[in-house]
Amino acid sequence: MALLPFATLSSMPSTPYKIKEETLNVPFFLQPLAEGVDLELVEVPGGEFDMGSPPEELDRTEAEDPVHRVKIPSFWMGTYPITQAQWRVLVGFEKVERELEPEPSYFKGDNRPVEQVNWHDANEFCQRLAKHTQLPYRLPSEAEWEYACRAGTITPFYFGESITTDLANYCGQDRETNNRTSLGYYGRGSRGGYREETTPVNYFNAPNRFGLCDMHGNILEWCLDRWHGNYDGAPTNGSAWLEGERDYFVLRGGSWNNDPSNCRSAYRNLNSPEVRVYIIGFRVVCAIREPPPLFAL
């Protein structure tokens, strides 16, 4: 068991939000990858939640409709997005389907998330890890991702009704894009900074109740699912929606270059599985119920 700090936002009459520090017991395990390089995963307990956004949520889109009840079995999820150090180790593992670029990221740093990886690259990473460890590693389903991000909350962010650049990496400044003004604040929140680059994972030390970090902002994350324009006919058992309308795949979480509204728990995005850009990375899940045995180096 691990004691992790937990940051929340609380409504206040005079100042809209403030950080409150708590502690929480969170089960986790370390998967050794190489000397000095581990993959940390936390247990996401099974449960049910309402997937999508309610009609009153600010800046919601039709893609987040209809709200539907989903039952999720327990699984283990990477505490952080995959880092560049972890990526380099897996590049040296046995190829399954395709070659991987050793240094794809635009913003360099061992503990920064790997980016400029497409969906096929992320899937290859998971396949190599699964083959090397004999454990069922893969990308998360979209339902697993949102359930894990919310961690029992129903607000737009697991912090609460709004978000600040003291807790997450996104664009906290107003700007003009495509002849429209994008706001650097959300709801009753305030404007903030714009770092214009990724930050190291766990830079903010602000995990949710499941112990997961960087779920809002920093890097968009690939999911296993193909894209659908809404949730009509979506699975309700937490599995990935593999048959799709087009050859596009789901992205979740927002990035350093996104507005705060695009970092909400319910926000959905999409892209071609071939695209590589410096706002897209991924994290992994291990789809077993019990803590897996550690793989010996």
Side-chain angles (χ1 to χ4, degrees):
M1 303 290 281
L3 281 175
L4 297 180
F6 168 52
T8 63
L9 292 176
S10 302
S11 296
M12 301 293 290
S14 53
T15 55
Y17 306 99
K18 71 173 184 178
I19 299 174
K20 180 177 66 176
E21 295 293 336
E22 300 176 1
T23 57
L24 191 70
N25 285 317
V26 177
F28 75 94
F29 78 92
L30 297 178
Q31 175 71 71
L33 300 179
E35 187 67 34
V37 181
D38 298 322
L39 172 62
E40 181 179 304
L41 296 98
V42 296
E43 182 183 30
V44 178
E48 297 184 17
F49 80 115
D50 289 329
M51 187 173 182
S53 60
E56 66 274 12
E57 185 162 305
L58 181 66
D59 292 337
R60 73 188 301 270
T61 70
E62 292 181 356
E64 298 160 25
D65 270 332
V67 175
H68 56 293
R69 195 74 172 168
V70 179
K71 185 174 183 179
I72 305 283
S74 63
F75 60 97
W76 295 78
M77 190 175 208
T79 307
Y80 319 109
I82 293 299
T83 66
Q84 293 172 40
Q86 293 165 340
W87 176 268
R88 283 197 301 273
V89 172
L90 267 292
V91 168
F93 286 6
E94 183 180 354
K95 177 179 120 177
V96 177
E97 293 182 353
R98 59 194 288 123
E99 299 292 342
L100 294 175
E101 168 61 41
E103 299 281 353
S105 301
Y106 181 80
F107 301 110
K108 302 299 184 184
D110 282 356
N111 289 323
R112 293 194 193 217
V114 67
E115 18 91 0
Q116 296 197 136
V117 292
N118 66 26
W119 186 90
H120 297 298
D121 298 332
N123 192 51
E124 173 72 17
F125 180 101
C126 295
Q127 290 186 76
R128 292 190 189 191
L129 183 58
K131 184 174 182 179
H132 192 70
T133 62
Q134 296 299 299
L135 294 170
Y137 284 101
R138 57 169 171 78
L139 292 174
S141 72
E142 185 178 15
E144 287 172 336
W145 194 98
E146 184 172 329
Y147 175 76
C149 178
R150 290 187 179 279
T153 63
I154 59 174
T155 48
F157 308 92
Y158 68 70
F159 306 118
E161 293 290 342
S162 194
I163 191 171
T164 80
T165 54
D166 292 329
L167 292 176
N169 185 12
Y170 61 91
C171 180
Q173 299 176 355
D174 297 352
R175 54 184 172 170
E176 295 292 327
T177 53
N178 300 322
N179 297 318
R180 63 179 288 269
T181 300
S182 298
L183 300 177
Y185 65 93
Y186 183 88
R188 296 176 58 200
S190 59
R191 294 175 180 84
Y194 181 27
R195 296 174 175 85
E196 301 187 60
E197 62 182 337
T198 59
T199 46
V201 298
N202 201 28
Y203 177 83
F204 302 96
N205 193 23
N208 67 13
R209 284 187 172 89
F210 292 159
L212 295 162
C213 298
D214 297 337
M215 300 295 281
H216 298 304
N218 205 17
I219 206 78
L220 280 157
E221 300 179 14
W222 288 115
C223 290
L224 197 56
D225 309 56
R226 289 180 180 269
W227 173 260
H228 296 75
N230 58 47
Y231 289 132
D232 287 335
T236 58
N237 61 359
S239 63
W241 206 354
L242 299 177
E243 63 282 357
E245 300 167 353
R246 295 174 292 169
D247 193 23
Y248 286 87
F249 286 79
V250 172
L251 290 163
R252 285 301 200 116
S255 78
W256 60 268
N257 191 43
N258 282 122
D259 306 325
S261 63
N262 293 352
C263 298
R264 294 175 295 113
S265 298
Y267 179 73
R268 309 176 68 216
N269 208 329
L270 74 157
N271 219 317
S272 163
E274 306 293 340
V275 74
R276 295 184 177 97
V277 291
Y278 55 15
I279 60 173
I280 297 178
F282 67 103
R283 74 179 73 208
V284 301
V285 303
C286 189
I288 56 178
R289 306 293 175 84
E290 300 296 328
L294 293 183
F295 181 81
L297 293 173

